[in-house]
Amino acid sequence: MVTIFAIESSCDETAASVCRDGIILSNVISSQKIHEKYGGVVPELASRAHLQSIVPVTDQALKIAGVSLSDIDAFAFTQSPGLIGALLVGAEFTKSMSLALNKPLIAVHHMQAHVLANLIRPIYEKNKIPSFPFLCLTVSGGHTQIVLCESPLSMKIIGQTLDDAAGEAFDKSAKILGLPYPGGPLIDKYAKEGNGNKYKFPEPKIDGLDFSFSGLKTAFLYFIRDEKIKNENFVEENLPDICASIQSRIVSVLLNKLKKASRETGITEVCIAGGVSANSGLRSSFEALGKEEGWNTYIPSFEYCTDNAAMIAITAYYKYLDSRFEDLSVVPSARTA
Ligand code: KG4
Ligand code: ZN
């Protein structure tokens, strides 16, 4: 029996999880509300909020899992990428526990963990998990990647964004519409009531499996500016259709490249992951495309899509099985190590 305790602190969620033999026993997330009024994450405030939340989140994760610290076989943390001050809080806290309890320390890459969220099985439900090799479209606030995953610890990026991430495309579009940060979930909410074919936005022409969202953002900005000159209430009067239309273009850009990746590699086990995979338009269009293309499709449950520690714990579990441990000199890094 292997019991892992994991911390995630790369951005604005302080999260802790306990995983036993690959099954998640607890997944506690404290989302930092303080950033809302600044329209984006303020790094210094994020670090301070992590310091305040990390002990209560840890206590709760252990309590829900029904384990004590002495039951833990290894301690894991997010090493990179992320905000350096935020990562340091999680890293140093986890190192102290590893040192005090004399148990191995495991460092986890946040983007690898988003992909492996697809290997999480709910406790009583043996739901299907992808077999290897699989493709994963990983879409978050900072990354947009198509990853070819050969085994839990062996994956390579075969396509990625050249500029903005898909999450940024959502958040920046929301900002143009005057919606608060993070705007992705709000675009999703309003889009449910709207017509995604009402307004047409250009599809970027990028070779291969890479993405670009900066041109789409500029086209959207000019479109809204021009419509507001004609009717100053344009946004208020058409919010659902505007949200549905920009969402539908972002989703089609993502899925067209994923389709291309599957056809080029011949891989039909296909997953999505990362914060943007919580988007209902992406989830339903992904399932529909999967049916058309004959894929087996996999989407993590909502709680494992946005930042969470369960994905860090499951990744650490596979690292534990492969004895990939760190000594206490390990340091986090803001960029991918
Ligand atoms: O993976 P994540 O929680 O954090 C990072 O590692 O970046 O992703 C956060 C991103 C934000 O851009 C947020 O707006 C977006 O995911 N997001 C969504 C939805 N939920 C979260 N975007 C669109 N629709 C959603 N439902
Ligand atoms: Zn993330």
Side-chain angles (χ1 to χ4, degrees), residues 248-268:
S248 134
R249 175 49 84 208
I250 296 171
V251 166
S252 75
V253 169
L254 293 170
L255 293 183
N256 285 344
K257 290 289 172 141
L258 188 57
K259 179 160 80 178
K260 188 168 188 222
S262 165
R263 288 185 178 179
E264 281 179 8
T265 58
I267 296 172
T268 55

Side-chain angles (χ1 to χ4, degrees), residues 195-325:
N195 171 6
N197 294 317
K198 179 87 177 274
Y199 308 110
K200 295 279 178 221
F201 299 108
E203 174 151 17
K205 302 264 173 291
I206 304 292
D207 289 343
L209 298 174
D210 289 335
F211 303 89
S212 165
F213 286 103
S214 66
L216 181 57
K217 176 190 66 191
T218 311
F220 186 68
L221 178 71
Y222 290 156
F223 168 76
I224 296 295
R225 185 196 63 184
D226 294 348
E227 291 298 324
K228 277 169 97 171
I229 292 170
K230 290 184 245 164
N231 169 9
E232 63 178 29
N233 297 324
F234 174 74
V235 169
E236 292 72 18
E237 288 170 10
N238 299 285
L239 193 57
D241 290 341
I242 300 170
C243 289
S245 298
I246 189 68
Q247 173 171 300
S248 134
R249 175 49 84 208
I250 296 171
V251 166
S252 75
V253 169
L254 293 170
L255 293 183
N256 285 344
K257 290 289 172 141
L258 188 57
K259 179 160 80 178
K260 188 168 188 222
S262 165
R263 288 185 178 179
E264 281 179 8
T265 58
I267 296 172
T268 55
E269 293 285 298
V270 189
C271 312
I272 56 175
V276 179
S277 64
N279 181 268
S280 46
L282 177 60
R283 291 167 91 95
S284 59
S285 301
F286 171 65
E287 297 282 19
L289 177 65
K291 279 206 182 83
E292 270 169 44
E293 295 287 308
W295 298 346
N296 291 321
T297 53
Y298 307 87
I299 311 179
S301 2
F302 274 107
E303 60 186 319
Y304 306 132
C305 286
T306 45
D307 287 349
N308 66 88
M311 68 184 194
I312 306 300
I314 191 91
T315 307
Y317 170 67
Y318 287 101
K319 288 193 136 186
Y320 184 97
L321 297 182
D322 206 39
S323 303
R324 299 208 193 180
F325 304 129

Side-chain angles (χ1 to χ4, degrees), residues 13 110 114 139-142 167-168 170-171 182-185 188 274-276 278-280 305-307:
E13 336 276 347
H110 183 87
H114 270 304
V139 272
S140 73
E168 278 176 288
F170 272 105
D171 295 340
D188 189 358
V276 179
N279 181 268
S280 46
C305 286
T306 45
D307 287 349

Side-chain angles (χ1 to χ4, degrees), residues 81-148:
L83 302 170
I84 193 64
L87 289 166
L88 277 165
V89 175
E92 297 310 305
F93 179 81
T94 314
K95 278 193 213 176
S96 327
M97 291 207 286
S98 155
L99 176 66
L101 293 149
N102 196 24
K103 289 289 165 60
L105 179 67
I106 300 175
V108 172
H109 190 282
H110 183 87
M111 298 312 295
Q112 182 181 21
H114 270 304
V115 174
L116 296 188
N118 279 287
L119 302 185
I120 293 175
R121 280 174 283 131
I123 191 159
Y124 295 120
E125 195 191 325
K126 288 252 185 272
N127 71 328
K128 48 175 198 160
I129 56 172
S131 49
F132 296 96
F134 65 77
L135 291 177
C136 184
L137 171 71
T138 317
V139 272
S140 73
H143 294 79
T144 298
Q145 302 175 334
I146 299 178
V147 175
L148 196 168

